[in-house]
Amino acid sequence: MILPPATLGMLGGGQLGRFFVSAAHEMGYKVWVLDPDPNSPAGLIADHHIVSAYDDYTALDELANGCAAITTEFENVPATTLDYLAKFVPVHPSASAVAVCQNRVAEKSFLADNGLPHGPFAAIRCEENLRTADESLFPAVLKVARFGYDGKGQARVANRDEALHAFHQFGGESCVLEKMLKLDSEMSVVLARDEAGNVRCFPAGENSHRHGILDVTIMPARIEPVLAARARDVAQAIAERLDYVGTLGVEFFVCGGQLVVNEMAPRPHNSGHHTIDACVTSQYEQQVKALCGLPLGEPRAHSAAVMVNLLGELWYDADDNYREPDWSVLQAVPNLRVHLYAKHHARPGRKMGHFTVIGENAEQVLATALQARAAIGIRDDGH
Ligand code: ADP
Ligand code: MG
């Protein structure tokens, strides 16, 4: 067991890393963050911030020398970086698990190879793959295999011609072509797994997106209990097949009453933010515990919760002037907690913060959260 006051290493300095730093500090650890951005949210509160690229080996040596164990909050850290660090210190999750989750072709193939539920897709490595892709896949979504997030690197395509056009627009990079599914709803399961193979799942959350970006998570998800249990089983099977150690997020589609895995995130997940406020142990504490070899905490929710993301467009008024949102509106709600990430500049679509409403009555919690969401100025302008 790695015990306080040991120093832990974090690759990536975004908000997920920032919450990890907070959780680790609470628990008595020190944290070093490596991120190229000198203003990264996690770097700002870390005990030491190494400002460097993820493939700067002098910087990686410094991190490995200073830390008892290393984790990541960013799935696009090169797998070679994780492999390199693992020569010197424990690194969780492993390079091989992250490599599967960071490439949509590898991810979809992993699901198919392991008999896990997934939607119809084709791996597109060249134009020829698109020309021969099954007609039944259209209308479809073409997604670049690597580095896509928050709906970026995706194109909705009605037919093969549109898909070819999008493929060229993406520069001919490897892609997956996914059949466009008719979604009843979207949900996610966040879990933690330790080195001994113990798994603790948080209750499933129900997610709604706006412009391809997570908008609201409702926990517990308003789905049949058997479906929620099935989602937990599938998420657990994924973690086991990946020999995963750490916190893992699994996104699901519900289509025609059936579950389909959408994608996996080898790190805490945006839809698990509510665990900070509504669960006995947060997804970030679990990440610390799994990394350090401590027994995992209880994931049980003590409250119902609704999480609302605060995106950069909130910083612009009706005339497009940049100004701080009126936080007093949210602070006036007693069972609401605001979390801001201290990002320097708000641009539309950028995740700047979130709030969580908790309470005993799930319906009331949802009504309060939606009221607060409207009051702070988030408008519903379709998806
Ligand atoms: P990201 O990495 O940006 O989260 P996702 O693959 O999760 O990418 O896609 C973002 C959102 O786009 C999903 O949550 C869902 O709302 C929608 N979407 C993605 N793929 C499909 C699909 N095959 N059918 C229908 N909707 C989809
Ligand atoms: Mg997603």
Side-chain angles (χ1 to χ4, degrees):
M1 269 192 220
I2 297 168
L3 293 168
T7 299
L8 308 177
M10 168 55 77
L11 293 162
Q15 61 271 16
L16 303 174
R18 184 177 169 94
F19 286 121
F20 174 90
V21 174
S22 295
H25 279 168
E26 276 295 305
M27 295 164 75
Y29 295 93
K30 295 190 170 56
V31 186
W32 288 14
V33 166
L34 187 150
D35 186 291
D37 175 2
N39 295 315
S40 77
L44 291 174
I45 63 166
D47 297 276
H48 178 43
H49 181 189
I50 302 173
V51 181
S52 86
Y54 296 109
D55 57 358
D56 174 335
Y57 286 81
T58 310
L60 296 178
D61 285 342
E62 183 189 350
L63 189 70
N65 282 327
C67 297
I70 296 173
T71 187
T72 176
E73 60 108 41
F74 176 55
E75 68 251 46
N76 290 321
V77 168
T80 45
T81 291
L82 298 173
D83 263 336
Y84 177 76
L85 292 168
K87 291 187 193 145
F88 311 107
V89 279
V91 175
H92 299 298
S94 68
S96 59
V98 173
V100 170
C101 304
Q102 71 185 188
N103 182 313
R104 292 188 195 273
V105 173
E107 185 176 50
K108 287 275 189 296
S109 309
F110 164 86
L111 295 170
D113 293 346
N114 286 285
L116 295 161
H118 58 86
F121 77 99
I124 307 297
R125 295 191 178 84
C126 59
E127 201 180 297
E128 181 61 15
N129 295 155
L130 254 186
R131 294 203 183 279
T132 56
D134 206 291
E135 189 58 35
S136 66
L137 288 171
F138 297 101
V141 192
L142 187 74
K143 303 180 182 177
V144 292
R146 293 216 52 189
F147 303 114
Y149 70 101
D150 288 347
K152 294 189 180 67
Q154 299 194 9
R156 298 187 170 213
V157 292
N159 52 46
R160 203 177 301 272
D161 278 348
E162 284 187 24
L164 283 163
H165 179 75
F167 183 63
H168 291 300
Q169 293 257 300
F170 292 150
E173 276 180 64
S174 265
C175 289
V176 291
L177 183 72
E178 294 182 23
K179 186 179 173 63
M180 174 72 80
L181 300 170
K182 189 162 170 354
L183 312 183
D184 308 343
S185 62
E186 296 189 56
M187 49 173 295
S188 54
V189 170
V190 177
L191 61 73
R193 184 169 179 274
D194 68 16
E195 257 182 300
N198 298 304
V199 173
R200 297 280 179 276
C201 284
F202 291 101
E206 176 183 337
N207 302 324
S208 59
H209 295 78
R210 212 167 144 252
H211 307 303
I213 308 175
L214 183 65
D215 176 16
V216 175
T217 298
I218 301 170
M219 187 284 301
R222 296 167 299 178
I223 52 167
E224 293 285 321
V226 287
L227 215 54
R230 167 105 177 101
R232 285 199 297 276
D233 289 347
V234 170
Q236 177 160 349
I238 290 172
E240 280 162 4
R241 306 275 160 81
L242 290 173
D243 198 14
Y244 195 89
V245 176
T247 297
L248 173 76
V250 181
E251 297 179 12
F252 292 91
F253 295 149
V254 185
C255 308
Q258 299 291 314
L259 277 180
V260 169
V261 176
N262 171 31
E263 61 171 352
M264 293 100 76
R267 48 166 173 77
H269 194 263
N270 190 167
S271 70
H273 281 339
H274 67 80
T275 61
I276 298 170
D277 304 307
C279 295
V280 176
T281 311
S282 79
Q283 61 172 349
Y284 306 99
E285 290 170 292
Q286 295 290 54
Q287 189 180 17
V288 174
K289 286 168 184 265
L291 181 64
C292 294
L294 310 181
L296 296 175
E298 197 188 330
R300 180 174 57 85
H302 52 68
S303 303
V306 171
M307 188 278 319
V308 176
N309 266 341
L310 300 167
L311 304 180
E313 47 266 39
L314 255 190
W315 272 249
Y316 296 81
D317 70 12
D319 301 321
D320 229 17
N321 296 313
Y322 193 87
R323 50 103 182 97
E324 197 69 20
D326 180 4
W327 300 122
S328 67
V329 168
L330 296 181
Q331 295 296 348
V333 185
N335 54 337
L336 182 156
R337 299 195 70 212
V338 182
H339 302 267
L340 295 172
Y341 310 151
K343 291 188 183 174
H344 265 213
H345 186 75
R347 21 164 229 283
R350 192 171 194 205
K351 290 171 178 168
M352 300 298 292
H354 72 270
F355 68 80
T356 307
V357 176
I358 63 168
E360 272 173 34
N361 180 316
E363 275 174 38
Q364 248 166 39
V365 167
L366 179 57
T368 304
L370 293 181
Q371 234 163 40
R373 178 177 171 281
I376 193 67
I378 302 175
R379 285 177 294 277
D380 283 308
D381 51 2
H383 292 255

